Amino acid sequence: MHGFPLASHDAAPGARLISAWQRLAPLPFGRWLFSRFLGRMVPYSGTIGARVEVLEPGHARIRMSDRRAVRNHLRSVHAVALTNMGELTTGLATVTALPPGVKAIVVRLSTEYHAKARGQLVAECRVELPAELNDAEIQATTMIHDGEGTLVATVTALWRTRVEDS
């Protein structure tokens, strides 16, 4: 996480993200800067140009603009850009909820498309952790709405956790 004004390197990745968010978000252009840093840390997800609006343990909301770089031939946002947006949102919500010493990785990802996605899009996810986190599975669902409030896609990620040996 080079470049972020972070908490201790011993902190959980989610705690480092929250720390950077709390430092940057209140500043002028802070959310934009945080989102750019996040895009550099996670290069593929950075390609959609999403902007983090809310980040707290177990909760994330991001916004993405409809622009040529994420469009398909049907003049709407590409299906994979929507899936990318949803996976990024589930990841932020999941990773920020995890305690130190616990890692998570996506093992399944599915997307349901409900309507053509156009204009400003907002994705939101809330995650609750199970009591036992070693080899647990966390299902995280992101709902993506357009600027008029229409549900355009639902992205569900299954995250598998592992407690690291100390």
Side-chain angles (χ1 to χ4, degrees):
M1 298 207 184
H2 305 292
F4 270 116
L6 297 174
S8 156
H9 287 291
D10 296 334
R16 293 194 310 259
L17 282 171
I18 292 292
S19 174
W21 172 257
Q22 289 171 341
R23 287 181 176 183
L24 292 172
L27 301 174
F29 303 104
R31 291 176 182 196
W32 177 86
L33 187 59
F34 177 88
S35 299
R36 297 294 73 81
F37 280 141
L38 182 63
R40 289 185 56 110
M41 286 175 41
V42 188
Y44 182 72
S45 291
T47 64
I48 63 171
R51 182 173 169 181
V52 178
E53 292 190 331
V54 173
L55 186 61
E56 53 195 27
H59 179 217
R61 184 173 64 232
I62 68 174
R63 179 176 299 276
M64 181 175 70
S65 296
D66 177 353
R67 61 192 202 293
R68 183 165 170 39
V70 295
R71 283 194 148 216
N72 59 27
H73 64 288
L74 302 172
R75 297 186 327 264
S76 60
V77 176
H78 195 282
V80 176
L82 291 170
T83 300
N84 189 337
M85 182 184 198
E87 189 272 341
L88 176 60
T89 310
T90 70
L92 288 169
T94 301
V95 168
T96 58
L98 296 175
V102 179
K103 303 259 182 175
I105 188 167
V106 173
V107 294
R108 186 176 323 131
L109 188 62
S110 65
T111 307
E112 291 181 63
Y113 304 98
H114 308 288
K116 283 189 178 182
R118 294 189 172 120
Q120 286 290 313
L121 302 173
V122 176
E124 189 161 14
C125 179
R126 292 183 187 273
V127 171
E128 290 190 30
L129 298 180
E132 175 57 45
L133 288 171
N134 196 34
D135 201 30
E137 291 186 342
I138 300 168
Q139 183 170 304
T141 301
T142 294
M143 310 296 270
I144 303 174
H145 293 86
D146 66 16
E148 296 176 6
T150 301
L151 179 64
V152 297
T154 305
V155 179
T156 302
L158 187 64
W159 290 82
R160 181 162 298 135
T161 61
R162 179 187 65 184
V163 175
E164 299 254 303
D165 295 329
S166 351

